[in-house]
Amino acid sequence: MTNEKPYRPNVGIALFNADGRVLIGHRFKGDGPEIILPGLDWQMPQGGVDEGENLRDAAMRELWEETNVVSADYLGETDWFTYEFPPYDGPQTHRLAKFRGQRQKWFALRFTGRDEEIDPLTPRNGQPAEFDAWRWERLDRVADLVVPFRRDVYRAVAEQFATFGN
């Protein structure tokens, strides 16, 4: 049986600080069915692309919505990656019911601000806060902190953006 549902267009952001580490956010406990194992609730900022939205603009919007960061310079981007969502039998209004997974383009950005700019708890743009904490982490370690269905994409992103970290 084939999955006829489409992939959700999505952007991901690897925000590098001056030390070459990336910003990761800790997802709220009980944030939904995407958190399937305790301790694997960290991720880099990411989010959906609005109809007709420029992808780089979408990345900057998502970064701001999820972290408050606007001080960032473009470093590079990946080709498209896809991943499948885990099986889901909850409310049909949830994205896990509407889409088979996500089709993502990742952007590498250099953080040019100060850590005080980072505020994941304040809702912005009518979007609820997704993270209750954040930290800087080595990019090559992040795949081990995310839910398993995202790991292959995170490893590919780490490989492609390795030159931006230390």
Side-chain angles (χ1 to χ4, degrees), residues 46-131:
Q46 65 176 61
V49 178
D50 295 334
E51 184 74 31
E53 187 175 24
N54 172 283
L55 295 174
R56 200 181 299 184
D57 292 343
M60 293 303 294
R61 176 186 52 76
E62 283 293 336
L63 180 64
W64 171 72
E65 284 178 0
E66 294 186 5
T67 69
N68 194 52
V69 169
V70 295
S71 304
D73 293 334
Y74 174 84
L75 296 173
E77 62 193 73
T78 66
D79 288 329
W80 290 98
F81 296 117
T82 59
Y83 65 81
E84 307 288 319
F85 286 142
Y88 177 74
D89 62 1
Q92 294 304 296
T93 54
H94 194 279
R95 71 179 161 269
L96 292 185
K98 297 177 188 175
F99 299 99
R100 71 184 286 178
Q102 303 214 86
R103 183 174 185 256
Q104 295 185 310
K105 183 174 276 279
W106 281 82
F107 291 84
L109 303 174
R110 179 72 65 195
F111 183 51
T112 59
R114 298 167 43 112
D115 283 2
E116 293 78 20
E117 179 178 344
I118 302 168
D119 170 21
L121 290 171
T122 302
R124 282 170 279 282
N125 240 11
Q127 301 297 315
E130 292 186 30
F131 303 132

Side-chain angles (χ1 to χ4, degrees), residues 7-73:
Y7 285 102
R8 178 178 179 240
N10 193 276
V11 291
I13 300 100
L15 181 69
F16 290 88
N17 68 7
D19 295 327
R21 295 181 184 258
V22 293
L23 183 140
I24 58 173
H26 182 262
R27 295 195 61 158
F28 277 105
K29 297 283 187 238
D31 188 31
E34 292 164 277
I35 297 175
I36 57 175
L37 294 172
L40 302 178
D41 37 15
W42 291 89
Q43 69 177 57
M44 290 183 278
Q46 65 176 61
V49 178
D50 295 334
E51 184 74 31
E53 187 175 24
N54 172 283
L55 295 174
R56 200 181 299 184
D57 292 343
M60 293 303 294
R61 176 186 52 76
E62 283 293 336
L63 180 64
W64 171 72
E65 284 178 0
E66 294 186 5
T67 69
N68 194 52
V69 169
V70 295
S71 304
D73 293 334

